[in-house]
Amino acid sequence: MKIQEKITLFFVIIATTGLILVNGAIFYFVSSFTFEDFFKRLEARVNLSAEINVHPDSRSEAYQHVRSRYLEKLDNEQDYVSKMDSGTQNTFKKPLPLPDKFYNEIIGTGKARYNEGNHFYAGSFFKTEQGNYIVIVAAEDPYGFKELEQLKKVLLIVFAISILLTYIAGKIFSYYTIKPVRSIIRSVKKISADNLNSRLTEVKGKDEIAELVLTFNNMLTRLETSFETQNNFVSNASHELRTPLTIITSEAELLLTNGNLSPTNGETVKTILSEAEKLVNILSSLLGMAQSGFNGKKQNWERIRMDELILTVADHVKKIEPKSILDVNFSNLPENESLLYTEGNANLLQLAVSNIILNACKYSNNNPVTISVGSENGRILIVVSDIGIGIPMDEQQHIFEPFFRASNTGDFEGHGIGLPLTLNIIRLHKGSIGIRSEEQVGTEIQIMLPVDSN
């Protein structure tokens, strides 16, 4: 879930919670006020009923006149007067089948209230010279309940409309909140190794967005410095390091051609020459790894047909390893020749594929190596398989780490640089490498490359 959606959801949840609490409080207080008002009206009628029925005198008719003339008649209004027995304490005939708690509260506190749904009851205790009485007035309040039902409907409608408006407000709020972040994302996506000198537009203020922009710009400055340092190394290391190695190699070859060396000294010079040549190879591979880390647009990219490149690489391997046996299989080529083209640097791709084929020849003691080219799921598929020593299962995850060599390669020369360099080159071309291997059975390496969209 995107941050904008999370903010909107969080906004709606907070607003919904607040609306539920507010609407609940409104309904609670309105219903409490409605019930309280109706009970007070009942209690006023209880007092009038007591004046009329418990204290009969000359004023009874006046109270009766006031009640009938000035007080509205409540729905199903009924008066109940019950005299308590004088001989037995708190004994009386219950005028209505109401809970004992209601009657006990009347006797204990002097008054009580009770309701069942829309039926309301108010009662009071009166003590006179003629005896003790309990007066109860019962009535219904349909209008109050209708008002509460109407209020409930209004609150639900207002709640639904408020949630909708809150959602819209949340979307607008989250959109403008995340807008600076989206702008940063768009700007960052445009920055690559070709334009590391670009910077994000600074934001005024001291908020988190301004701090994020400043952090990105500082990071880009560090990356630009790092890439420039690497670029300078690639540009200068070849000349600076190859020159002394060339001199050492030339001098060693000159000593060997003179023929004036003793056998012991001759072997020593041969060792120097061999190690110097190894050092040249290591240097070339290291420079290739550094070079393959750059953006491809600096590498003279072109449209490459991969079956032709495989043939070129096979000829190159034959010259390096004359004893190698290569079986180039083109039986899986797609009918559409455009699916064999990719975009990249031909020299780097030749280096990557030749590293894999040379490894297959070396670690299989020049047993037959099969190379096939095809198309799968809209991508170019190159498969190199051998019948060699294989790679231990627990070491396969490390073979693309620089300078790592499997435990069963002690009898073979190598430096652990070829496969890491190959992986860098394939990644540079937006491809991938897969491997399947079993000890003493062989190894299969699959290279997937994107088809050129042009």
Side-chain angles (χ1 to χ4, degrees):
M1 183 182 293
K2 293 185 177 180
I3 294 179
Q4 181 177 345
E5 295 173 354
K6 289 182 179 179
I7 292 175
T8 303
L9 180 61
F10 187 64
F11 198 83
V12 171
I13 289 174
I14 292 177
T16 301
T17 304
L19 285 170
I20 290 174
L21 294 175
V22 170
N23 288 349
I26 291 173
F27 187 80
Y28 171 78
F29 287 114
V30 170
S31 60
S32 297
F33 174 79
T34 301
F35 291 160
E36 178 68 21
D37 178 68
F38 193 75
F39 273 124
K40 287 183 176 180
R41 294 163 67 187
L42 283 182
E43 289 172 349
R45 286 162 174 76
V46 168
N47 293 329
L48 286 175
S49 180
E51 293 293 338
I52 296 169
N53 299 299
V54 177
H55 305 286
D57 54 25
S58 58
R59 294 176 298 177
S60 299
E61 292 184 5
Y63 285 121
Q64 182 65 39
H65 179 72
V66 170
R67 181 175 183 179
S68 61
R69 184 176 179 86
Y70 297 104
L71 293 181
E72 64 173 317
K73 183 73 173 178
L74 301 177
D75 284 20
N76 294 326
E77 182 181 336
Q78 296 288 333
D79 294 351
Y80 300 92
V81 179
S82 179
K83 184 177 181 181
M84 304 181 67
D85 296 339
S86 58
T88 307
Q89 187 177 7
N90 295 342
T91 300
F92 59 95
K93 183 180 179 181
K94 295 181 180 179
L96 292 168
L98 299 177
D100 292 337
K101 182 181 178 181
F102 174 70
Y103 292 105
N104 293 334
E105 188 176 350
I106 292 175
I107 297 172
T109 63
K111 60 172 62 179
R113 295 174 176 179
Y114 179 74
N115 74 290
E116 290 181 354
N118 195 26
H119 301 282
F120 292 83
Y121 305 90
S124 295
F125 179 78
F126 295 93
K127 192 173 184 180
T128 66
E129 295 178 355
Q130 291 78 23
N132 299 331
Y133 293 86
I134 291 178
V135 179
I136 299 173
V137 176
E140 295 180 358
D141 185 20
Y143 302 106
F145 269 80
K146 287 182 180 179
E147 290 175 357
L148 292 178
E149 287 297 323
Q150 289 293 328
L151 176 63
K152 188 185 296 184
K153 292 179 181 178
V154 170
L155 290 177
L156 288 175
I157 294 172
V158 170
F159 177 78
I161 295 174
S162 299
I163 292 298
L164 178 61
L165 294 177
T166 300
Y167 175 77
I168 296 173
K171 289 286 287 185
I172 297 173
F173 173 78
S174 60
Y175 174 81
Y176 285 102
T177 301
I178 301 300
K179 187 176 180 180
V181 178
R182 284 195 298 270
S183 177
I184 292 173
I185 293 173
R186 285 194 299 268
S187 299
V188 171
K189 284 183 177 179
K190 296 177 182 177
I191 298 175
S192 63
D194 285 336
N195 58 346
L196 281 176
N197 60 327
S198 301
R199 294 294 182 269
L200 303 180
T201 304
E202 294 187 1
V203 179
K204 296 181 179 180
K206 297 182 179 180
D207 57 7
E208 287 80 0
I209 299 298
E211 185 177 354
L212 179 62
V213 170
L214 180 62
T215 303
F216 265 117
N217 286 337
N218 291 336
M219 181 189 68
L220 290 171
T221 300
R222 294 193 297 271
L223 285 175
E224 184 183 11
T225 302
S226 176
F227 267 68
E228 287 179 354
T229 302
Q230 186 177 359
N231 194 14
N232 290 333
F233 171 79
V234 173
S235 301
N236 299 324
S238 178
H239 175 74
E240 296 295 335
L241 297 178
R242 285 179 184 273
T243 299
L245 286 174
T246 302
I247 294 173
I248 293 172
T249 303
S250 300
E251 293 296 328
E253 290 175 345
L254 182 62
L255 286 173
L256 289 174
T257 55
N258 285 338
N260 297 326
L261 299 175
S262 64
T264 302
N265 291 336
E267 291 298 322
T268 301
V269 174
K270 287 181 180 179
T271 301
I272 292 173
L273 179 60
S274 175
E275 294 301 319
E277 290 176 347
K278 287 183 181 179
L279 191 56
V280 170
N281 291 333
I282 293 174
L283 176 62
S284 299
S285 297
L286 290 174
L287 291 176
M289 287 184 67
Q291 185 184 30
S292 66
F294 291 148
N295 186 283
K297 293 181 181 178
K298 294 184 177 181
Q299 306 294 335
N300 300 319
W301 279 32
E302 57 186 313
R303 200 163 183 255
I304 304 168
R305 179 161 173 156
M306 288 308 299
D307 56 343
E308 296 178 356
L309 183 137
I310 293 297
L311 291 175
T312 303
V313 171
D315 292 338
H316 175 69
V317 171
K318 274 289 188 181
K319 293 177 182 178
I320 298 176
E321 294 286 347
K323 296 181 180 180
S324 62
I325 304 174
L326 302 180
D327 178 16
V328 181
N329 182 4
F330 286 158
S331 62
N332 295 324
L333 289 180
E335 295 182 2
N336 186 357
E337 294 183 356
S338 64
L339 297 177
L340 291 171
Y341 285 89
T342 189
E343 186 182 16
N345 181 281
N347 292 330
L348 289 178
L349 282 178
Q350 287 180 16
L351 176 61
V353 177
S354 64
N355 279 343
I356 293 176
I357 297 176
L358 285 170
N359 278 350
C361 295
K362 177 170 64 174
Y363 293 116
S364 65
N365 291 311
N366 288 325
N367 282 323
V369 173
T370 302
I371 309 164
S372 66
V373 182
S375 178
E376 184 177 299
N377 298 325
R379 294 171 72 84
I380 301 171
L381 176 63
I382 303 168
V383 180
V384 179
S385 56
D386 63 62
I387 308 171
I389 63 174
I391 305 170
M393 181 64 67
D394 57 343
E395 298 180 6
Q396 292 181 16
Q397 59 182 328
H398 302 293
I399 63 170
F400 294 109
E401 297 175 5
F403 305 108
F404 175 83
R405 303 196 70 209
S407 58
N408 59 348
T409 59
D411 296 334
F412 302 88
E413 290 187 0
H415 309 288
I417 298 176
L419 285 181
L421 173 59
T422 298
L423 179 63
N424 281 357
I425 293 173
I426 298 303
R427 283 180 174 174
L428 179 66
H429 290 78
K430 295 181 172 56
S432 61
I433 296 181
I435 184 168
R436 282 201 300 259
S437 184
E438 184 176 348
E439 282 190 272
Q440 304 306 322
V441 175
T443 301
E444 178 183 284
I445 293 183
Q446 298 182 351
I447 300 175
M448 300 283 287
L449 290 170
V451 175
D452 180 22
S453 59
N454 296 322

